[in-house]
Amino acid sequence: MKHIKVLGSGCANCKAVAKLITTVATEKGIAIELEKVEEMREIMRFGILSTPGVVVDDKVVHSGGIPSRSNVEQWLMA
């Protein structure tokens, strides 16, 4: 199971990223545990300066903007 954190204030882009990740995981049949992190201290712990950020299995894979669908697929398949 992949452990994924979406880091951000809860803005529209943050919600879109969480939805995209959930959609791709469901379509690919990949089990994920998705956590939304909105606490600024926790976000800063990962060194994210531009949100939304995405952390997969404790590794920062994205920050700033909405990632492409192909990027999400790569994160989930790795």
Side-chain angles (χ1 to χ4, degrees), residues 30-48:
I30 298 169
I32 65 168
E33 178 183 323
L34 183 71
E35 177 183 353
K36 296 177 188 173
V37 178
E38 296 180 3
E39 173 60 45
M40 201 48 117
R41 239 184 232 149
E42 181 73 6
I43 292 169
M44 295 302 290
R45 186 174 75 81
F46 286 99
I48 297 291

Side-chain angles (χ1 to χ4, degrees):
M1 175 181 294
K2 295 278 184 186
H3 298 278
I4 301 172
K5 295 180 181 183
V6 176
L7 312 175
S9 64
C11 66
N13 281 351
C14 298
K15 292 175 184 174
V17 170
K19 182 175 180 178
L20 175 62
I21 292 169
T22 301
T23 299
V24 171
T26 301
E27 289 174 1
K28 300 288 184 184
I30 298 169
I32 65 168
E33 178 183 323
L34 183 71
E35 177 183 353
K36 296 177 188 173
V37 178
E38 296 180 3
E39 173 60 45
M40 201 48 117
R41 239 184 232 149
E42 181 73 6
I43 292 169
M44 295 302 290
R45 186 174 75 81
F46 286 99
I48 297 291
L49 300 176
S50 182
T51 61
V54 180
V55 176
V56 178
D57 295 333
D58 290 322
K59 180 182 175 193
V60 175
V61 295
H62 178 82
S63 71
I66 300 173
S68 69
R69 183 181 183 87
S70 63
N71 281 349
V72 173
E73 290 173 356
Q74 288 174 1
W75 303 335
L76 297 178
M77 300 302 246

